[in-house]
Amino acid sequence: MPNTIAGITIPDTALVREATALVRQAADDTLFDHSRRVFLWGTLKAAARGLEVDLELAYVGGLFHDLGLTLTYRTKDRRFELDGAEAAYTFLRDHGRTEEEARNVWLAIALHTTPEVPLHMAPEVAVVTLGVETDVLGLELEQITPDQRAEVVAAHPRPDFKRRILQAFYDGMADRPQTTFGTMNDDVLAHFDPAFQREDFVRIIQQNAWPE
């Protein structure tokens, strides 16, 4: 893979190489290429906003953000975002990064399905959401030039991506449906499983243990 894609130079460090190897081993092509694109889109958009981002931290955030969907790293009792966040935190601390740095990447991954909030936090938090919103939702795609888009997609293709990423989301969450409450992830389960019953926030309030 080229070290520079669409003007973004991927750091040639032991941390980055080991992060790449870890995710490459755990994830299939769909998730791996998506995660690299998230780093690239997010970094491009962060630069356009004048944000100074630590590229190593942004890289780990981008690459690990969907790690909780993989067989190796997913659990059955918590949100997939937390699985990836915990893996990234441990990885960064093991590689000598500070508590604050590792915690910011933890937040970046834990909150990447939470709209708006990450964009008001540290650049290393915002960059992951910027990348995810670009690659999955196509938000503000016009901020990426056609040449940049072409170069990124040439390096990390998107064959049948919309269908494949939805399937990856479902496969990673189907056996822990209770963890999707309060996120858009329950939309994915409802799409694939007609028997899925969403939790109802209003019902929880109305029927909770507090007396009237």
Side-chain angles (χ1 to χ4, degrees), residues 76-90:
K76 291 188 176 181
D77 59 355
R78 65 186 181 190
R79 290 171 52 166
F80 86 88
E81 301 95 328
L82 296 180
D83 294 336
E86 291 291 334
Y89 178 88
T90 299

Side-chain angles (χ1 to χ4, degrees), residues 16-82:
V16 165
R17 289 192 296 271
E18 290 175 31
T20 303
L22 183 153
V23 178
R24 177 71 279 186
Q25 183 174 22
D28 63 10
D29 289 346
T30 296
L31 286 180
F32 179 76
D33 285 325
H34 162 59
S35 298
R36 291 265 293 196
R37 291 194 306 271
V38 163
F39 162 73
L40 293 163
W41 303 138
T43 303
L44 286 167
K45 284 190 170 180
R49 287 162 170 75
L51 300 178
E52 294 186 11
V53 178
D54 182 309
L55 289 181
E56 280 193 332
L57 298 181
Y59 190 80
V60 172
L63 256 68
F64 281 56
H65 84 279
D66 275 348
L67 203 57
L69 297 172
T70 68
L71 282 170
T72 304
Y73 287 91
R74 70 181 181 230
T75 63
K76 291 188 176 181
D77 59 355
R78 65 186 181 190
R79 290 171 52 166
F80 86 88
E81 301 95 328
L82 296 180

